[in-house]
Amino acid sequence: MNSSIADTEERGKLWRTSVPGSVDDSPLHLCDEPRPVPTSGELLIAVQACGVCRTDLHVVEGDLPVHEPHVVPGHEIVGVVAALGEECGTAFRIGDRVGVPWLRHTCGTCSFCTAGKENLCAESRYTGWDHDGGFAQWAVVPVDYALTLPDGYGTAELAPLLCAGIIGYRALLLAELPEHGVLGLYGFGGSAHIVAQLARSAGATVHVMTRDPVAREFALSLGLDSAQDTYAAPPQQLDAAIVFAPIGGIVPAALEALAPGGTVVLAGIHMTDIPALDYQRHLFHEKRVRSVEANTRENARAFLEVCARIHLTVQTTEYPFSRVPDALRDLRHGRFAGAAVIVM
C-alpha cells in the first residue's frame, strides 16, 4: 500500500447488521475492527459523511435478500482518500475528497456492459449490500467507481446526491418528460426533492403526492406547483410520474393520473405488491410502466456535472455516528423532510 494519511490509524468503529429485522428492535451493532487495507485498484476512504437511504432500510430489515452476512450498510459516502492500493492510476491523490456510490463493480465484458447498460450486468455488486459500506469510519472503493464531487456543497449536502440524486436523475431520464411537461412525484423524500428541482430547472410543472403533511409543506416551499395526499388526483393530467414510495398500491393511482402516452417510472429497489390493474382505466392509451435498476457510472458523472452548474437545495437532517440506528428508525417512520445524513 502506498504511504498514506492513515498509517497511524489502526482500528475503526462501524455498524454491522446482525439478524435482519425491524429497525424498531436492534438489527445493528457497533463494532471496533482493524482498519481495512485497500487491495490493488482500491482507495481507502476516511468517511466524513454517509447518507441514509431507504435501500439501507431494506437491507437492514431484510426486505432485500442478504448478499453479505453482517454487512455494513451505507452507500452515499463522502470522504477523503487516506490511502491508495497499487495500480490506482492518477485520477485521485491522498487528501482528495471523493464520493462512493451504490454501484461498485460490473464485469465490463457482458452484452449489457458493452452496450452502455452496466446497471443491468448480472455480475454487478453494490456498496452496503455486497461489500461493507459507509456506516463506518473507514471504507474502501474500487478506484474506477469512485466519483469526483462538485464544488459549492457542504459535506452533508453532497451525501444524498450519491444515490438519491443519481437514481432520481436516472428515473427522470427514463420518464421521457416532454419539454415543459407535467411531472407527478409520488413520495417526497431524499430523492424526490432533488428530482423536483431538476425538473423545474428544465421548465416542467411539478405536482407532489405524499401522505406526509410536513413533506407537502416542504414541496410548496421549494416553489412546486401543488402538493396533495398520496391518492388524491393531481390538478391536471401528468405527462410522466415517478413513484418513489415503496408502496405498490400507488401504481394504479399514478397510471390513472397519466395523460395518453405517459410513463410511470418505479424508482425503488423494493416495492410491495402492485394490485390488479384495469386495462381500460390504467393501461390503455399507450401508457407505459418502467422500473429503475441502479445506475451507470455515466449517469452518476452526468448528474454531478449538472449539480456543478445548477446549485440544488439539499435538505438534510444530520445525525452523529453514534445515532445510526436512530436515523434509520426516523426514516422508517417519516420523522424528517429531505434526507438523513450521518456525520463523523
Side-chain angles (χ1 to χ4, degrees):
M1 183 175 68
N2 293 350
S3 62
S4 70
I5 63 174
D7 289 342
T8 60
E9 302 283 351
E10 296 298 332
R11 300 185 69 82
K13 296 187 182 299
L14 43 86
W15 288 94
R16 288 201 178 277
T17 56
S18 50
V19 177
S22 171
V23 291
D24 291 327
D25 298 323
S26 301
L28 290 171
H29 57 281
L30 185 62
C31 301
D32 187 334
E33 298 181 8
R35 170 175 51 80
V37 176
T39 61
S40 180
E42 289 186 334
L43 306 176
L44 174 68
I45 306 299
V47 178
Q48 296 177 323
C50 186
V52 182
C53 179
R54 188 164 292 274
T55 300
D56 299 318
L57 190 63
H58 295 318
V59 169
V60 171
E61 294 199 317
D63 295 323
L64 296 176
V66 174
H67 279 192
E68 177 67 23
H70 310 303
V71 73
V72 177
H75 58 274
E76 297 176 326
I77 305 169
V78 177
V80 172
V81 177
L84 300 88
E86 301 299 327
E87 299 184 12
C88 278
T90 60
F92 297 102
R93 297 178 298 178
I94 290 171
D96 286 349
R97 186 171 69 168
V98 298
V100 181
W102 175 236
L103 183 69
R104 70 175 292 113
H105 170 79
T106 55
C107 76
T109 59
C110 70
S111 60
F112 293 116
C113 286
T114 55
K117 300 177 181 179
E118 65 180 1
N119 59 305
L120 301 179
C121 174
E123 299 299 320
S124 58
R125 299 291 182 269
Y126 301 96
T127 304
W129 194 18
D130 296 287
H131 196 285
D132 288 344
F135 294 168
Q137 291 178 306
W138 302 98
V140 294
V141 60
V143 66
D144 290 340
Y145 292 80
L147 297 172
T148 300
L149 297 171
D151 295 328
Y153 295 85
T155 300
E157 292 178 307
L158 286 166
L161 300 179
L162 294 168
C163 180
I166 293 169
I167 296 299
Y169 176 79
R170 182 169 180 84
L172 189 58
L173 292 179
L174 294 180
E176 298 181 1
L177 186 68
E179 187 175 6
H180 303 299
V182 181
L183 175 67
L185 301 177
Y186 288 82
F188 200 71
S191 191
H193 88 285
I194 294 171
V195 170
Q197 295 173 73
L198 292 175
R200 281 304 299 268
S201 72
T205 298
V206 181
H207 301 294
V208 171
M209 279 62 69
T210 178
R211 66 184 180 182
D212 183 358
V214 174
R216 292 198 291 269
E217 291 178 11
F218 178 41
L220 295 175
S221 76
L222 290 174
L224 305 185
D225 296 276
S226 78
Q228 45 270 312
D229 191 67
T230 304
Y231 296 97
Q236 62 189 123
Q237 284 191 312
L238 307 174
D239 295 307
I242 304 175
V243 179
F244 291 102
I247 302 167
I250 293 173
V251 176
L255 283 165
E256 195 164 357
L258 280 187
T263 301
V264 169
V265 178
L266 312 181
I269 192 172
H270 169 79
M271 178 175 278
T272 60
D273 289 346
I274 298 172
L277 300 175
D278 180 281
Y279 181 71
Q280 296 296 327
R281 284 177 60 194
H282 301 130
L283 294 172
F284 195 52
H285 302 305
E286 298 191 352
K287 297 178 181 181
R288 295 168 292 178
V289 180
R290 304 189 69 172
S291 65
V292 175
E293 182 173 353
N295 61 274
T296 66
R297 283 171 285 175
E298 182 181 356
N299 293 152
R301 291 163 184 153
F303 168 67
L304 293 174
E305 287 174 3
V306 171
C307 293
R309 296 195 307 270
I310 304 171
H311 188 86
L312 302 174
T313 297
V314 185
Q315 176 81 6
T316 62
T317 298
E318 297 183 14
Y319 293 78
F321 180 69
S322 61
R323 293 188 59 207
V324 165
D326 293 333
L328 285 164
R329 280 191 285 269
D330 288 352
L331 173 62
R332 176 72 175 80
H333 296 290
R335 294 175 180 147
F336 54 78
V341 178
I342 306 301
V343 292
M344 297 300 178

